[in-house]
Amino acid sequence: MSKSISRDNRVSPLWAIVSAPAVWAVHFLASYLTAAIFCAKLADSDGSAGEVQLAVMSYTVIALLLIAAIGASGFRRHHHGRHSTSHDDSGRDAQRRMIGFATFLLACLSAVATLFTALVLVFVGTCH
Amino acid sequence: MRPELIDDVSQSALDPAGVGATQIVDLFHWMVGGGVVIWLIVVGLSVYSIVVPGGHRPRLTKTLVIGGGAVVPTVVLSSLLCYALAMLPELHRPPPSDSPTVKVNGVRWWWRVQYQTDDGRTIETANEIRLPVDEAVEFKLTSEDVIHSFWIPSLGGKVDMIPGRETRLKLYPTRVGKFRGVCAEYCGTAHAQMRFDVTVMPRPEFNRWLSNQSSDAREPSQQSAIRGGELFRRKGCGACHTIRGTDARGRVGPDLTHLASRSSLGAATKPNNTENLRHWITHTHHVKPGVTMPAFQALDEREVDAIVAYLEQLH
């Protein structure tokens, strides 16, 4: 019981805010590196890049699942405590709600950015 | 009196005469439409929040802020992105293997243009590109010095020309006419005067033009032109310019073999006429600051007349 209370009183870690954009950044790098290496080393003479599209779709599913989990965690923190709790007090509850809200909003933004990155490679589909 | 400017040809991306340019104009119109929708919703909600007196219901406020400020812009932008991306595969698809190929080198501040003839010969011209209508044409683009960008707004998108690399562009002109090409990447003093003429013509006319361009320069027959040819050699012009069929084989400046058949001078800076040609030779840097060619102000009137006569018979 005391352990549970102690966990509840902890302030959310700041790195939670940047975790969703970090997933988007890794997805971006992985997608373009895969396309660049495939097109430089493995592409057929007709330049089709179906394998790259498959790989990027896989990366995208994984990235979106991670971002959804991070967003859900942020949303839970945001709803911690009473509804009237402020976001900008110095108290632990307020910090927790503020970090949770920022994490949730950045997760939404990262999900859109990840989809936009994937769309380019899915639509283009060639090395030309 | 300054010679007249060239402004009688289309340089507008909103006046499409090619497949790529038409798609870009469509995309532009959709982008403007989408931008207007987002602007109206966001500004409309802002005005509503200010103008409507009294408090607003929290639930409605939250819905309007999230819906109008985030969801609608994201949906509109995503739709526009999908519409634009769907165009890319066709625009990037290489042209058929038997399509004409034009090599263009960007040089500060002019364009070296090379055509391949059916018998495998390379024909060089400068600052002028002619294309057959209703045919895909592939451009192979590179640069001899700094980064330039090749753009014919009425025919399609632009592509950078990078030293040491070859970039490609496919254009498909659909309307006969004259158009303006430009360098779209700042490249130095005379960047704004690094332009070129583009003429789209029916295939038989294009074949006749290419056949004429593939021939050597005609021998001068009039006395003043013969003297001009001698002066051209004696003054060292051949060290920088090529005139095929003569011993002028310079590669620093544009090929002048068929100079008189071109519609402009100095990379589409001035119309190609006697007055402008004289002015170019004697006051080169007044016409185009920064250009490599020195001004030949030491030539007397009769020498200039003779050289102009020689160049004007190079049809």
Side-chain angles (χ1 to χ4, degrees):
Chain A
M1 182 72 177
S2 62
K3 195 173 177 184
S4 165
I5 290 167
S6 144
R7 190 180 295 131
D8 276 353
N9 284 337
R10 274 188 309 173
V11 176
S12 299
L14 264 180
W15 57 259
I17 293 177
V18 297
S19 51
V23 172
W24 160 62
V26 171
H27 171 269
F28 183 93
L29 272 177
S31 299
Y32 278 89
L33 283 174
T34 303
I37 292 169
F38 179 86
C39 289
K41 304 282 184 190
L42 304 167
D44 297 335
S45 55
D46 65 348
S48 64
E51 293 87 342
V52 174
Q53 286 177 311
L54 268 179
V56 170
M57 282 184 215
S58 313
Y59 299 161
T60 306
V61 170
I62 295 167
L64 287 177
L65 287 174
L66 282 170
I67 289 170
I70 293 163
S73 153
F75 194 74
R76 273 199 305 276
R77 289 197 175 96
H78 172 49
H79 276 255
H80 173 79
R82 287 178 293 117
H83 199 68
S84 57
T85 306
S86 167
H87 284 95
D88 52 3
D89 282 346
S90 57
R92 292 197 167 191
D93 276 353
Q95 285 180 28
R96 194 178 170 92
R97 274 172 63 76
M98 190 279 285
I99 289 174
F101 195 42
T103 304
F104 172 69
L105 291 179
L106 281 171
C108 293
L109 192 66
S110 301
V112 174
T114 301
L115 279 174
F116 279 14
T117 304
L119 278 175
V120 177
L121 293 155
V122 168
F123 267 94
V124 174
T126 72
C127 293
H128 296 304
Chain B
M1 188 182 77
R2 289 178 69 83
E4 68 273 35
L5 292 168
I6 296 178
D7 57 2
D8 59 339
V9 295
S10 175
Q11 190 183 315
S12 173
L14 300 178
D15 175 29
V19 171
T22 303
Q23 287 185 308
I24 289 168
V25 168
D26 289 344
L27 177 62
F28 172 74
H29 290 146
W30 280 105
M31 289 279 181
V32 170
V36 167
V37 168
I38 293 173
W39 186 85
L40 284 176
I41 289 173
V42 172
V43 173
L45 287 173
S46 306
V47 171
Y48 166 77
S49 69
I50 296 166
V51 171
V52 175
H56 300 87
R57 280 180 291 148
R59 194 169 185 81
L60 176 65
T61 305
K62 192 181 275 186
T63 306
L64 289 178
V65 168
I66 294 173
V71 175
V72 171
T74 303
V75 169
V76 172
L77 289 176
S78 301
S79 307
L80 290 172
L81 178 67
C82 291
Y83 177 66
L85 290 173
M87 290 179 178
L88 284 181
E90 181 52 38
L91 289 174
H92 280 193
R93 198 186 310 283
S97 55
D98 59 344
S99 299
T101 301
V102 185
K103 285 186 179 176
V104 184
N105 283 6
V107 190
R108 289 193 301 173
W109 292 276
W110 59 281
W111 309 84
R112 191 189 302 280
V113 181
Q114 293 175 325
Y115 287 82
Q116 294 285 328
T117 59
D118 291 338
D119 57 3
R121 284 193 302 148
T122 298
I123 304 304
E124 184 165 318
T125 177
N127 304 324
E128 180 183 63
I129 291 173
R130 299 206 183 198
L131 304 172
V133 70
D134 291 329
E135 288 184 37
V137 179
E138 182 170 47
F139 287 87
K140 295 182 176 177
L141 308 168
T142 188
S143 167
E144 295 184 12
D145 37 49
V146 299
I147 295 176
H148 302 281
S149 187
F150 180 88
W151 190 24
I152 309 170
S154 295
L155 298 189
K158 58 188 168 189
V159 171
D160 279 359
M161 310 169 91
I162 300 163
R165 287 191 63 179
E166 184 181 85
T167 49
R168 293 180 180 221
L169 170 69
K170 180 182 69 175
L171 293 179
Y172 195 107
T174 53
R175 174 154 56 92
V176 167
K178 286 179 179 290
F179 307 97
R180 170 74 63 238
V182 295
C183 176
E185 178 77 36
Y186 180 73
C187 55
T189 311
H191 160 72
Q193 290 168 303
M194 187 174 169
R195 313 190 297 175
F196 57 98
D197 297 306
V198 182
T199 306
V200 178
M201 49 185 26
R203 175 47 98 160
E205 215 175 306
F206 173 77
N207 288 342
R208 278 198 297 279
W209 172 81
L210 192 59
S211 168
N212 179 58
Q213 292 292 311
S214 65
S215 62
D216 286 346
R218 64 167 61 178
E219 286 286 327
S221 54
Q222 292 184 333
Q223 198 54 42
S224 60
I226 292 170
R227 182 157 180 269
E230 287 167 6
L231 280 166
F232 187 90
R233 280 184 290 278
R234 195 139 41 86
K235 299 291 180 182
C237 305
C240 293
H241 295 285
T242 291
I243 296 180
R244 292 195 304 274
T246 73
D247 54 2
R249 296 196 183 92
R251 298 276 299 161
V252 177
D255 185 305
L256 302 180
T257 306
H258 296 283
L259 174 70
S261 71
R262 296 174 199 159
S263 56
S264 66
L265 298 170
T269 302
K270 300 290 177 191
N272 188 359
N273 57 39
T274 305
E275 183 194 355
N276 287 335
L277 190 50
R278 285 183 63 90
H279 199 67
W280 175 262
I281 293 169
T282 56
H283 296 82
T284 319
H285 293 258
H286 287 195
V287 182
K288 194 166 181 176
V291 69
T292 307
M293 177 171 153
F296 285 80
Q297 288 176 321
L299 295 173
D300 64 37
E301 286 280 315
R302 289 172 58 199
E303 287 175 326
V304 175
D305 286 343
I307 290 176
V308 167
Y310 172 63
L311 295 174
E312 283 195 323
Q313 56 85 49
L314 294 174
H315 283 284

